[in-house]
Structure formats: C-alpha cells, structure tokens
Amino acid sequence: MNRLYFFRKRISYRLTNNRTKKIAVITALLAIFPLLLAFGVETIERGTFGDAADWIAANPSLFAMNALIYCFALLLLYGLIGSLFPAVGCTALLLFLAALISHYKTKMIGEPFFPWDILLKKEGANIIPLVTNQTVLVRVSVVAAVVLSLFLLRLFLPRFRMPVVSRIVMVLLAAAALQNLAERTPAAQRLYDRAGVNEVVWNQKDNYGYNGFGLAFTLNIQNSIISKPPGYGEASIATVAQQISDRRNASTVTPKEDQPNVIFIMNEAFWDPTLLPDVTFSEDPIPTVRRLQEESTSGYLLSPQFGGGTSNVEFEVLTGNSMSFLPSGSIPYQQYIRQPVPSLASYFQNIGYKSMGIHSYDGWFWNRDSVYKWLGFESFKSKEKFDDPEYKGTFISDNEVSRSIISAVEESSRPMFIYAVTMQNHGSYDDGRYEENPIQVQGNLTDEARNLLETYTHGVRDADQSLQMLIDHFEQSGEPTVIVFYGDHLPMLGLDYEVYKQGGFIGTQAWSLEEQKKMHSVPFVMWSNFELPQDEVPTMSNSFLGAYVLDKLEMELPANFEFNLDLFKQYPGLLTGLIVDADQNLYNTVPDSAKSVIDPYRELQYDILFGVRYLAQYLDADYLSGSALADYNMEFDAPTAVAAPAEEEEESI
C-alpha cells in the first residue's frame, strides 16, 4: 500500500506542478473513455465484440456521435462528482446497465430500452426472473467486473479534482449540449445530418441497430413528446363530427330493451399453441375456444404487443385509441393518462351499468389503480382485494378470476360491464410451476423449448377451462350476458423467439409482413346466452374491438367508437409498421388510399388525449368531457363498505 501511495503521489506531484501536462492528461482521458464506453455499450447491445466492431467499421461517424453523447454524459457526472474516475465508473454503470436491459428486452419482446422505460418503477423488476440463466449471469458478472475496475483506478491514479467554479461550468455546458441533442435544435440536426443519422421510427429494433444505442435513445427523447397532427384543428374535428352524425342518422339499429352483462376477459398471453406447424400435442388444450370458433363469433385480434406490455392492449380496447399513433414502446398508462379519458367503462357507467375492473395482480402494476379511475370505472378489484384466493404456480388462478366475475354479477343490482385481466399464465415458463403437465408435446424441440411449451400449454388449458366455468354458470343464470374472451399478446417462449423458430412458426431471418401479422395475432371468441349473429373476423385491431362488440349488441355507439366502426370496415388492422385492408392485403406504411380515413383517426385521437376536445362541442359532451367518479372504488377502500346496503354498494368479495 505504501508503494501504491507514493506512486500515486509522485504522478500527482508531477501533474500538479505542470498544469499543461495535467490538462493534456485529463483531455486525453476524456477523449479516450467515451470511445471505450461506446464500444462497450455496442458490444453489450449487439451481443459480441465482432458485431460491435463490424458496426463501427461500417458506421464510423455514427460511432463518433454515440461517443460524443457519452462524452457529454461523462462531463456532466464529472462536474457533479468532482473526481474523474468515479465519474467514469458511474457513467459506465448507467450505460452498461441500460445496454444490458436493452439487449435482453429486445431478445424477449423485440423492443429495445426506451427513455420512458425509466418510468416503469417496480414493473421493470418483473424482467429479472426471465433472465437468470447462466449466460446472462456471466454477462452481468463481466459488466460488473469492468465497472468495478474503473472505480478501482482511483486507487492507482490521481483523482483529478476540479475547482467548484469549473465543475459548475462543466455541468451547465454538458447539460445544455445533451438538451440540444435531445431536442434536435437546428445545430444538433446539422450535426446529425453530417453523421448520416437515419431515424427508423416505425421499427425501433432497426433504429437502435443502425444508429447505435446512445444515439437512438437520445432521438427517442424527442419522440416522447406528442406532436399535433398537421391537419388537426376545430375545422377538421367538425368535419369528423358531421361524418359521425351522418352515420348515426343513417343507422337503422333498434336498441335492445334488456341490458346484458358485458364481460371482457383479457387472458394473459392466451394463444393457440397448436398453430406451431412442426409440433404435435397429446390433446387439444383449448376445446372450449375451439367449439366457440365453430359456433359463435370469433376471429383474430391484431395486438400491438408481443410478450409483454399488457396495459397497452387494455388501452386500445377500452379507449378505442391506437398505439400506432404513439411513440414505439410508449406506455399510455404511465405517460399520458393523468385526467379523465372517455372509455368503454365510462360509456357503460353513463347508461346505467356498473363498470368494474378485475385483475389478479397488484393494483400498482402499470398504474392501474389510478388509471382505472380516470377511465371511468366505478370499482377495481386487484390482487389485494381477493380473499384467500386459489393460486396456480406463482399467480392467482384463472378459475379464481372466473369466480370473482360470477360473484360480482350476482351481487350487483345493475347490469355489469366487467373488464377482467388474468395472470396465471404470465411468463416466464421455465419455473416448473406445475407438478406435472397433462399435455405432452412432440416435435423437433430442444428439452428446454419442450419444457417451456408444455408449461405454457398447461396454462392455456386452464384458461380454456376457466372460460367454460363462466359459460356453465351463465347458461343457467337466465341473466342476459355476453362474454368476449381473448389474449393480450403472444407469449414470450424463450429468448430470441426460440420455440416459434423450432416449431416452424417463423423463419430465422427478418420477419415478412405475413410473419409480423402472425406474431401479433391472438384468437378471440364471443359467447352469449341470447341469440347474436355469428361472424368470422380474420383480422381486427384491438382498438376496434369495443366498437365491434357494441355494434353486435345493437347499442348506440359513442362518437369515437362510431368512427372506429366505419374505419374497421375499411382497414381492420392497424399497427406500427403493419396495415391490413378489408381484402387482407398487407402494407408496412399507410397506403395513400387510406390516408383520407386514417389521418382523421389520428386527429380524433389527439383531440381526445392531448387536444382541446373539440369533438365534445358537437357530439356526446357528457361522455367526452366526463369526470372521474367521486366514489371510485369505495366498495373496496371505504371502511364502511361492508355494512352498506347491497343496492347502493356491493360488499367486498
């Protein structure tokens, strides 16, 4: 230790007594470290040294832009901390951690790490059980060792402290530079243009792959700001309002006298695994759904998500709005819903129903306990409100959710709108959650892939049985009821879509438009204990499901859902990077022929979520400008709720 001490003192003395040398050393280190950080980040993000080196060789100017961003980040922390090597260590820790998250998030669900992912709080911790294999632990250990080494350099080399005034100036300049790059000021845009930056907004995986992690992440900061559509204004919304009024006047629908219970069940990761062409199953895991596909209205919903992001599917179904008009990877429940937003819940509440959300997981997850209030629900039964529930594996069982639905309907004196979200079949599927899997699969699968698929299939089987439980009950109840059952997204079956590849569902190269459609299509079925016309729907975006169901029930549609129904008939599928027309033709961008109907949809969505709500000046003012219920969730949260009369407020289940 004495030798180390005198070695460091000797270097410090020489540098202190030669200011020019000291400045030169600091400048050299500040030039070298960002380059090393950029190389390290790209190695982690891309997976190998070779892939990172190939990208750098092909895109030296983009690599330099990433290094420049990291340089400003390092200068910012250097100014805040006041010592160079701890600042380098902290910068490396933050960047390498973000790159690791991005690498595995991309492998799991096809989306990298976005600026707004920082808002996920505890939701982000749910990724940890999915990435605990040996390869991941080795990568994390290597990153930890590198970061620790950077901190330990402080023991061997001088501390390069700065005067306070210099630190303040450095922080201000670095922060200003990062702000300009994020806001894309004219000077920053010129710099981007010279570097050959090409932002691929509609495909963020390609965006990060082409531009590099730091640059793509910085570009997305600006994307988190929702810009007003070019044509948006009172005049454009007035035109839309007139179109909606004309459709209503031309309608010949006669509303039903009875108000049926309307139950939406969004079953976690529900999909039909028998669609894997190279895999066979010892028995059909979804006989109930299979029967309804033959006897009732059924089809496929085009989910905006894969493997996660359940709340975005809820957002589309409940509000009728489309994720395709929002930044890729954004989460409306976390970012945008901070005031009342019209939804199916508020619509049903306004016409005499009781609107209730049921989710067998924590109420804070995706901020539901707050968002459901803004969406107009009267009550929300989250995991905390279940009384001694049945568990299957880690999570509350699907059967328990079905029992909660039955109890809620039986205890209500009003017809019910219920939006139920299950949790039992949530990934990961390598946890051995069941003692045995009753359905065996055969195919050219690795043992790991087979175990994943059998565990997932067990959950699908249980989901199907929970649906049959509801059907059995409401067939006997005599109370008119319709059930809409569907999955939120396809399951994440192994890193890098391994089960889908081994099962022959997709190829190993970049997805075609047809493969994109397959990887976002989940089955839906409708059942009712009264007569409804039967339809087969090949494709329907989640944002159109609410309008479709209301129309099937011959209920008067609120204004924005009325617009959606007309758009659905022309362009039933609408995702970022995938548009499906009525003839099932596929496009990766909005075709010119569709802009005249899709652009007003974008403007209408902006008006409701971020704009003035001009539409409320013309139509459905009570629905579009409603407020949250003052007694939201009183039946579960109020200490006197249990003692309240049944007609006024239902008892906690």
Side-chain angles (χ1 to χ4, degrees):
M1 287 297 292
N2 287 337
R3 286 184 181 180
L4 175 62
Y5 173 78
F6 286 116
F7 172 73
R8 189 174 66 183
K9 291 291 287 184
R10 184 182 301 172
I11 295 177
S12 295
Y13 177 79
R14 288 178 179 176
L15 291 176
T16 301
N17 286 275
N18 191 327
R19 183 170 180 177
T20 302
K21 282 187 177 180
K22 182 177 181 180
I23 293 174
V25 169
I26 293 175
T27 303
L29 291 174
L30 289 175
I32 292 169
F33 277 130
L35 295 171
L36 294 175
L37 289 170
F39 181 71
V41 166
E42 293 307 317
T43 298
I44 295 169
E45 169 79 352
R46 296 171 191 276
T48 68
F49 287 106
D51 288 342
D54 290 344
W55 175 77
I56 292 169
N59 304 280
S61 58
L62 294 175
F63 172 68
M65 277 299 308
N66 281 268
L68 180 64
I69 292 169
Y70 300 150
C71 181
F72 289 132
L74 173 57
L75 290 174
L76 181 65
L77 288 176
Y78 187 13
L80 292 172
I81 296 171
S83 186
L84 179 58
F85 292 108
V88 172
C90 288
T91 306
L93 177 63
L94 293 173
L95 292 176
F96 292 171
L97 180 60
L100 270 174
I101 293 171
S102 186
H103 175 76
Y104 285 107
K105 186 176 176 223
T106 301
K107 277 191 169 293
M108 288 191 299
I109 62 174
E111 291 182 347
F113 183 64
F114 296 110
W116 39 87
D117 286 340
I118 297 169
L119 301 174
L120 293 185
K121 305 174 188 174
K122 293 182 282 186
E123 290 91 344
N126 283 262
I127 196 175
I128 295 174
L130 307 180
V131 288
T132 54
N133 61 46
Q134 186 174 358
T135 303
V136 178
L137 295 177
V138 169
R139 287 179 181 270
V140 171
S141 299
V142 170
V143 168
V146 171
V147 171
L148 181 60
S149 299
L150 291 172
F151 279 105
L152 291 176
L153 284 175
R154 186 180 183 186
L155 301 176
F156 297 91
L157 297 171
R159 299 190 179 184
F160 297 113
R161 293 189 178 278
M162 287 191 302
V164 173
V165 174
S166 300
R167 289 171 57 186
I168 293 173
V169 172
M170 182 178 288
V171 167
L172 293 176
L173 290 176
L178 289 171
Q179 182 178 359
N180 275 270
L181 290 170
E183 292 183 353
R184 304 189 215 181
T185 61
Q189 191 59 54
R190 286 194 295 271
L191 193 60
Y192 289 150
D193 292 341
R194 287 179 192 148
V197 174
N198 181 24
E199 187 181 14
V200 191
V201 178
W202 59 91
N203 189 327
Q204 288 294 337
K205 184 178 178 180
D206 288 351
N207 191 34
Y208 279 63
Y210 175 77
N211 291 302
F213 174 81
L215 180 54
F217 185 91
T218 303
L219 293 171
N220 270 312
I221 293 174
Q222 179 70 14
N223 289 338
S224 64
I225 302 170
I226 308 299
S227 300
K228 181 171 68 173
Y232 173 71
E234 184 173 2
S236 65
I237 299 301
T239 300
V240 172
Q242 185 60 53
Q243 292 171 353
I244 295 171
S245 295
D246 291 343
R247 290 191 203 103
R248 284 179 171 176
N249 293 334
S251 173
T252 58
V253 169
T254 303
K256 292 183 179 296
E257 294 183 5
D258 292 333
Q259 290 184 311
N261 299 306
V262 180
I263 301 170
F264 280 62
I265 303 171
M266 190 169 71
N267 192 275
E268 173 61 38
F270 185 84
W271 178 66
D272 181 1
T274 67
L275 293 174
L276 295 167
D278 298 339
V279 178
T280 59
F281 296 78
S282 59
E283 64 179 84
D284 186 359
I286 55 170
T288 303
V289 168
R290 196 80 64 206
R291 186 183 74 251
L292 294 178
Q293 287 175 331
E294 296 175 356
E295 301 174 353
S296 303
T297 289
S298 66
Y300 284 88
L301 297 175
L302 203 57
S303 171
Q305 301 298 132
F306 172 83
T310 297
S311 69
N312 288 353
V313 182
E314 287 179 47
F315 167 77
E316 286 205 340
V317 174
L318 285 168
T319 68
N321 294 315
S322 174
M323 290 297 302
S324 66
F325 301 140
L326 300 174
S328 293
S330 58
I331 303 165
Y333 277 21
Q334 295 278 0
Q335 296 169 253
Y336 309 130
I337 299 183
R338 296 288 184 271
Q339 61 180 344
V341 173
S343 76
L344 287 175
S346 59
Y347 164 78
F348 278 104
Q349 194 73 28
N350 287 346
I351 63 172
Y353 279 67
K354 176 182 176 181
S355 289
M356 182 178 187
I358 297 176
H359 183 33
S360 51
Y361 200 58
D362 299 297
W364 55 261
F365 202 69
W366 296 127
N367 204 30
R368 283 187 180 92
D369 46 9
S370 297
V371 169
Y372 276 16
K373 175 181 179 179
W374 297 127
L375 293 180
F377 281 95
E378 181 175 321
S379 59
F380 173 38
K381 182 180 181 180
S382 57
K383 173 184 172 181
E384 302 86 348
K385 313 303 181 184
F386 280 74
D387 183 17
D388 192 25
E390 173 194 26
Y391 277 74
K392 279 289 190 75
T394 309
F395 305 110
I396 292 176
S397 72
D398 285 4
N399 279 349
E400 188 69 36
V401 174
S402 291
R403 284 190 284 269
S404 288
I405 292 171
I406 291 169
S407 296
V409 171
E410 287 183 339
E411 294 176 10
S412 176
S413 60
R414 291 174 283 159
M416 294 282 293
F417 168 71
I418 295 178
Y419 197 90
V421 184
T422 70
M423 196 68 180
Q424 178 185 327
N425 212 20
H426 194 284
S428 62
Y429 307 104
D430 59 355
D431 55 3
R433 67 183 67 176
Y434 307 115
E435 292 183 5
E436 60 179 358
N437 292 318
I439 299 178
Q440 286 74 50
V441 301
Q442 297 293 327
N444 189 24
L445 303 171
T446 63
D447 290 342
E448 180 182 6
R450 182 178 292 102
N451 290 334
L452 286 174
L453 186 55
E454 286 187 352
T455 298
Y456 171 74
T457 302
H458 188 155
V460 168
R461 172 180 172 271
D462 286 356
D464 188 84
Q465 291 177 349
S466 72
L467 174 59
Q468 186 62 52
M469 176 192 295
L470 288 173
I471 291 172
D472 290 342
H473 172 80
F474 288 109
E475 278 182 335
Q476 303 298 322
S477 71
E479 191 169 354
T481 300
V482 61
I483 297 172
V484 186
F485 181 92
Y486 56 97
D488 51 351
H489 51 68
L490 273 71
M492 198 278 288
L493 295 172
L495 293 178
D496 204 24
Y497 315 103
E498 274 305 313
V499 172
Y500 296 101
K501 291 177 180 177
Q502 293 178 32
F505 194 66
I506 57 173
T508 57
Q509 304 301 317
W511 294 351
S512 65
L513 287 177
E514 187 60 42
E515 285 178 318
Q516 284 192 53
K517 182 185 174 187
K518 287 166 59 177
M519 292 297 284
H520 286 272
S521 293
V522 295
F524 88 94
V525 291
M526 287 180 63
W527 174 89
S528 63
N529 56 7
F530 56 92
E531 186 174 349
L532 281 178
Q534 180 181 351
D535 281 339
E536 183 176 344
V537 184
T539 302
M540 182 196 300
S541 280
N542 287 108
S543 55
F544 301 142
L545 179 61
Y548 178 83
V549 171
L550 293 180
D551 183 60
K552 292 284 286 185
L553 294 175
E554 299 184 336
M555 303 180 81
E556 183 177 348
L557 277 66
N560 58 322
F561 284 85
E562 184 79 51
F563 183 89
N564 286 8
L565 183 65
D566 185 64
L567 179 56
F568 159 69
K569 295 173 182 177
Q570 302 175 66
Y571 292 92
L574 188 59
L575 297 183
T576 302
L578 178 63
I579 293 88
V580 186
D581 68 17
D583 296 321
Q584 299 302 298
N585 297 311
L586 308 182
Y587 309 87
N588 58 8
T589 58
V590 177
D592 291 339
S593 59
K595 290 181 179 178
S596 62
V597 289
I598 291 180
D599 285 350
Y601 184 27
R602 182 192 297 271
E603 294 163 16
L604 195 59
Q605 176 167 317
Y606 182 88
D607 186 57
I608 291 172
L609 289 179
F610 311 108
V612 182
R613 295 197 181 176
Y614 290 122
L615 186 62
Q617 299 175 18
Y618 299 92
L619 298 167
D620 300 353
D622 290 344
Y623 163 74
L624 292 167
S625 301
S627 57
L629 296 176
D631 57 352
Y632 166 71
N633 225 28
M634 287 289 286
E635 70 172 291
F636 294 121
D637 294 339
T640 58
V642 174
E647 307 85 47
E648 298 175 4
E649 189 163 359
E650 286 79 6
E651 187 175 289
S652 286
I653 299 172

